[in-house]
Amino acid sequence: MKIPVLLDCDPGHDDVMAILLAAQHLDLKGLTTVSGNAPLAQTTYNTRYTVELAGITHIPIAAGASHPMVHTVDFTGDIHGESGLDGPVMHEPEVAIRSDHAVDFIHEVVDQTDGVHIIATGMLTNIALVLRRYPGIHSKIASICLMGGSLTHGNVTPVAEFNIWADPEAAHVVFTSGISIKMVGLNVTRQVSAIPNIRQDIRDIGSHTAVAVADMLDFFSAQLEKLYGLPGASMHDPLAVVPLIDDRILTFQPMHVVIELAGTHTYGMTVCDYRERKNEDGTPAGKPPNADVAVSVDVDRFWALFLDTLKHYP
Ligand code: BDR
Ligand code: CA
């Protein structure tokens, strides 16, 4: 039996890779969209394009939040290009989205399905709004597996990662919800780069989905090489899906994580208690863990899974 999941995303090149993994290996009940790599209308358009590209138009799509809960962010970033998904030649998608808001759709699915896991690969606004609008629903969410934050450095600021920085107050709501959380941050996702020979292996699969993915990764890689000196595109978002598919790719440590909401230089930082400090009597010091934080990744195992997954698409 496949594990039931919802995927909340802001495609975004790496969000597309997350969708492809989730749709192949999990019982993907729906895709919900949020602003981030581009404005909401564009991330929703990119999601519609993706499901048509991969022949998975049976998966419902609902659009969600266009703005973070508190602060103001300009969602016309440079990393993913003007469309949020520059690289492939995109066709105009025809598939319709649902008429209800992502927040209500997420609530409906969680309420009606036992043991749904939420995967979040964008800012956490939709998830926080669900938790606020439907108090009590948290007990029905099996876990939240999110790409966000970092144990080490940030990307959008020296210490903050984009998805958390884009809506830190929403992240605070999620991290204080009591729901089981897996945090997959930059400290591991930046270790998995789509270097040229991997992109060629993907292109060589030859299907239209694989070629479009290779085109996406070529563009995304060029941006990350230019702007951050990385050897290729970081596979951030698909790594938030893999714990539900194969628990040998990422390893986690339980930690107490708080979201910095007040710091002048640290707004949006994930402050992770990594000290493993003990009291005199041997009991753990500090606050009890509220998240499992990814600390290492098996890069080869990830690529084997990803390449094999792509071979199943048309
Ligand atoms: C995250 O930000 C976005 O650019 C990516 O899609 C990923 O979710 C990485 O910081
Ligand atoms: Ca994303």
Side-chain angles (χ1 to χ4, degrees):
M1 268 269 285
K2 289 183 173 178
I3 296 173
V5 298
L6 282 163
L7 172 50
D8 189 71
C9 56
D10 66 334
H13 300 80
D14 52 333
D15 299 81
V16 172
M17 319 297 148
I19 293 170
L20 296 176
L21 276 181
Q24 184 61 40
H25 298 279
L26 304 169
D27 178 11
L28 182 54
K29 300 282 186 196
L31 293 162
T32 52
T33 59
V34 68
S35 297
N37 289 321
L40 179 70
Q42 190 66 42
T43 59
T44 306
Y45 181 100
N46 295 346
T47 305
R48 293 167 58 220
Y49 160 77
T50 301
V51 298
E52 287 189 3
L53 173 76
I56 48 172
T57 49
H58 60 283
I59 298 169
I61 300 170
S66 56
H67 294 90
M69 291 171 76
V70 177
H71 72 154
T72 312
V73 179
D74 176 8
F75 290 118
T76 45
D78 50 0
I79 305 270
H80 297 263
E82 203 179 324
S83 70
L85 201 53
D86 280 13
V89 180
M90 287 168 70
H91 64 264
E92 179 81 28
E94 289 173 6
V95 67
I97 63 166
R98 291 173 60 95
S99 56
D100 51 352
H101 192 280
V103 167
D104 297 319
F105 175 57
I106 293 169
H107 170 257
E108 185 185 307
V109 173
V110 170
D111 196 45
Q112 292 178 0
T113 320
D114 280 340
V116 184
H117 298 256
I118 293 179
I119 301 165
T121 60
M123 64 177 185
L124 292 163
T125 319
N126 287 339
I127 315 304
L129 289 172
V130 173
L131 297 174
R132 285 293 191 255
R133 182 166 160 90
Y134 298 103
I137 196 69
H138 66 281
S139 63
K140 290 215 69 188
I141 299 172
S143 80
I144 298 175
C145 199
L146 62 97
M147 191 284 135
S150 179
L151 257 187
T152 52
H153 50 71
N155 52 6
V156 69
T157 78
V159 295
E161 180 280 329
F162 177 77
N163 289 340
I164 303 295
W165 170 88
D167 195 344
E169 286 76 15
H172 170 80
V173 170
V174 170
F175 276 83
T176 56
S177 66
I179 299 169
S180 167
I181 292 173
K182 280 194 165 50
M183 177 184 126
V184 180
L186 291 177
N187 53 296
V188 289
T189 64
R190 277 215 170 155
Q191 294 180 44
V192 188
S193 301
I195 54 177
N197 67 316
I198 299 240
R199 304 202 300 268
Q200 191 58 51
D201 287 348
I202 292 172
R203 194 171 290 286
D204 289 346
I205 293 172
S207 63
H208 71 259
T209 303
V211 170
V213 166
D215 290 343
M216 289 178 208
L217 289 175
D218 281 350
F219 178 89
F220 194 26
S221 295
Q223 293 299 93
L224 292 186
E225 283 163 24
K226 185 171 70 184
L227 299 172
Y228 291 103
L230 293 167
S234 304
M235 299 300 279
H236 304 296
D237 292 343
L239 281 161
V241 184
V242 301
L244 291 162
I245 302 172
D246 179 350
D247 62 7
R248 288 165 294 181
I249 293 176
L250 289 166
T251 49
F252 291 88
Q253 273 186 32
M255 290 179 209
H256 189 78
V257 180
V258 291
I259 311 300
E260 176 60 85
L261 299 177
T264 308
H265 305 291
T266 52
Y267 184 61
M269 178 181 183
T270 45
V271 181
C272 304
D273 192 347
Y274 200 14
R275 296 175 297 171
E276 296 185 15
R277 189 175 161 174
K278 293 193 169 48
N279 296 317
E280 289 288 341
D281 64 2
T283 56
K287 294 190 175 158
N290 61 343
D292 289 321
V293 177
V295 294
S296 67
V297 56
D298 184 333
V299 176
D300 293 341
R301 204 172 172 91
F302 170 81
W303 283 120
L305 172 71
F306 189 71
L307 282 154
D308 180 62
T309 301
L310 282 182
K311 290 176 187 157
H312 291 88
Y313 283 104

